[in-house]
Amino acid sequence: MILVGVIFFGLLALGMPVGFILGVAGVVGILDMGGGRFLTMVPDRFFAGLDLFPFLAMPFFILAGEIMNKTGITDQIVKFADSLVGWLRGGMAHTNFAASIMFAGITGAATAEAAAFGNTLVPAMVKSGYTKPFSCAVVAAGSIIGPTIPPSTLMIIYGSIMGVSIAGMFAAGILPGLLIGAACMGMIAIFGKRWNLPKSDRRPSLRLIATTFRGSFLALLLPVFILGSILGGWATPTEAAAIAVAYALFLGAAVYRKLSWPDLYHTLVRTTMITGVIFVIIASATILGWWMTYNQIPQLIAKGFLSISSNPAVIIGMIVVLLLFIGLFMDINATLIIMAPVLGPLTLAIGMDPIHAGIVIVLALNISLMTPPVGACLFVLASVCKEKIENITRSLWPFILAEVTVLLLVAYWPAVTLSVPRALGF
């Protein structure tokens, strides 16, 4: 057990890709456990980790988002959001969060949203008088709304490996996602004057709202199709994801006429690359997860937590702190696959609803997408916008605090998470 830990953290410190680290650590653990005769189990565990039908939804949702970005459909959503809140102080920052909420219903990938808005909103904000670090921080803070409001790849992974209703998870993510957007927009409204954020001279216009809404109406229907079909019980998440791709293709090629064959090729390549990375991590983490289960590590950790305190409030706090800490250093997909089976029995032991526990875990990991040193959205924005990560982080802390506050609210007030799925019968 100690050997596996040394190898895992040693390779992590050396900068090896996390998918390979998980695989190597898992294989070493299996060798230490039973010698060469156990190695025949590695290929079986590797492919068994991916042999889940709901996982097919992930590449479809990612592809739908890539098509929306490539064809400029995302820009239509941004224009509509800007017509609603762009006239406020810090209007373009408000626009980012409003657009993030709308865009969240299309794709569950935060990095895709960070890349899209980093290419469009950040230059526009800088041109309007915002500093580049602050502009990048706003986009990073808004990007985690994507995998919180459904569809969400993390929710698909959690629901698949833990046997929790994915549709129920999707329903439970709606209110927390809206609260994150509201909390960050509240920060801008409260501190906008102190931060000297620009204020537009443009007054709100019903004509402009109507015009931009008409231009974005077909794009805004996509989240309605996705969520309506899943929550209404007419389609599984995988089937809804395939419908989303078909609809995005129709909009890009037939309605907006901005999707060429080369564009389609590039979106397919990018989707394959993103999906490939996620699937390697999932498969490799399955090997390590099997080793942990064999050695009853989840039970030992749960027993250790309960030995500190049996108070559910204290244990929930420890779970949140643990996930935020691990998220500072590890990929969120790997963290979820390793920690979900560990924390699942613990949350059941203290009486948490499985859907509530899943949302708390997913939201905590989503926040780690924008925390240094390995926050994926930070790296995307640093690359796209040519800005240093440390500069972005300095402007990001107020939003991190706001989102952690929402996380604690969700963790300690189950009704925030469970009211919508309960109303829908989950």
Side-chain angles (χ1 to χ4, degrees), residues 44-402:
D44 177 67
R45 291 292 89 202
F46 190 88
F47 288 104
L50 299 175
D51 191 20
L52 292 170
F53 178 72
F55 281 176
L56 287 175
M58 283 190 284
F60 282 125
F61 281 130
I62 293 170
L63 178 58
E66 290 295 324
I67 293 171
M68 299 288 274
N69 287 340
K70 196 72 175 179
T71 55
I73 300 173
T74 305
D75 296 339
Q76 300 293 331
I77 295 175
V78 171
K79 289 177 182 176
F80 175 54
D82 186 59
S83 71
L84 294 174
V85 295
W87 55 275
L88 299 167
R89 179 176 294 278
M92 295 199 73
H94 285 296
T95 296
N96 171 83
F97 289 106
S100 293
I101 291 171
M102 298 176 193
F103 189 71
I106 297 171
T107 176
T111 51
E113 183 175 321
F117 289 174
N119 277 319
T120 54
L121 273 176
V122 170
M125 291 178 71
V126 171
K127 188 176 179 180
S128 299
Y130 297 81
T131 65
K132 186 184 285 189
F134 180 82
S135 304
C136 291
V138 166
V139 172
S143 66
I144 77 158
I145 297 175
T148 304
I149 292 179
S152 166
T153 54
L154 279 185
M155 292 181 191
I156 293 171
I157 295 173
Y158 183 87
S160 299
I161 64 178
M162 297 301 294
V164 178
S165 168
I166 295 174
M169 291 282 292
F170 279 6
I174 295 173
L175 281 181
L178 294 175
L179 283 174
I180 288 175
C184 291
M185 292 175 75
M187 292 287 292
I188 296 167
I190 294 170
F191 296 107
K193 193 168 184 179
R194 180 182 299 179
W195 293 341
N196 196 30
L197 300 182
K199 188 178 188 302
S200 174
D201 295 329
R202 172 170 60 86
R203 293 183 178 274
S205 165
L206 290 177
R207 177 177 294 180
L208 179 61
I209 293 173
T211 301
T212 54
F213 176 73
R214 188 164 54 248
S216 62
F217 176 72
L218 291 176
L220 292 173
L221 280 180
L222 184 52
V224 177
F225 288 151
I226 294 173
L227 293 181
S229 61
I230 295 173
L231 301 181
W234 305 318
T236 66
T238 302
E239 292 165 344
I243 293 170
V245 171
Y247 187 72
L249 285 170
F250 169 74
L251 287 184
V255 178
Y256 295 103
R257 298 180 183 275
K258 292 183 178 180
L259 185 65
S260 63
W261 286 109
D263 290 336
L264 181 58
Y265 170 78
H266 288 302
T267 58
L268 288 171
V269 170
R270 179 166 170 76
T271 300
T272 302
M273 292 172 63
I274 296 172
T275 305
V277 170
I278 294 174
F279 278 8
V280 167
I281 291 172
I282 292 173
S284 299
T286 303
I287 300 172
L288 184 60
W290 183 86
W291 171 81
M292 293 174 67
T293 302
Y294 184 89
N295 287 279
Q296 297 187 328
I297 293 176
Q299 291 86 338
L300 292 174
I301 293 177
K303 188 180 294 183
F305 271 64
L306 292 171
S307 67
I308 296 173
S309 174
S310 59
N311 188 327
V314 174
I315 293 176
I316 290 173
M318 289 192 293
I319 290 173
V320 168
V321 171
L322 175 66
L323 290 171
L324 291 175
F325 177 75
I326 294 176
L328 294 174
F329 307 103
M330 275 188 63
D331 175 87
I332 62 171
N333 296 294
T335 304
L336 178 63
I337 296 165
I338 292 173
M339 296 305 299
V342 172
L343 298 177
L346 179 60
T347 58
L348 289 175
I350 61 173
M352 287 184 76
D353 183 275
I355 291 178
H356 178 215
I359 293 299
V360 171
I361 292 171
V362 166
L363 184 53
L365 294 178
N366 283 341
I367 291 175
S368 70
L369 284 167
M370 61 174 190
T371 52
V374 297
C377 291
L378 289 180
F379 281 102
V380 169
L381 286 164
S383 175
V384 169
C385 304
K386 311 300 180 187
E387 183 59 70
K388 293 181 178 179
I389 288 178
E390 53 267 31
N391 293 339
I392 301 174
T393 303
R394 277 195 288 270
S395 298
L396 190 56
W397 281 113
F399 299 111
I400 292 177
L401 293 175

Side-chain angles (χ1 to χ4, degrees), residues 1-13 21 24-26 28-29 32 288 291-292 297:
M1 194 178 299
I2 296 176
L3 176 63
V4 173
V6 169
I7 290 176
F8 180 88
F9 290 107
L11 294 177
L12 191 65
I21 294 173
V24 171
V28 170
D32 183 59
L288 184 60
W291 171 81
M292 293 174 67
I297 293 176

Side-chain angles (χ1 to χ4, degrees), residues 15-31:
M16 179 181 283
V18 69
F20 298 151
I21 294 173
L22 294 168
V24 171
V27 169
V28 170
I30 289 174
L31 279 172

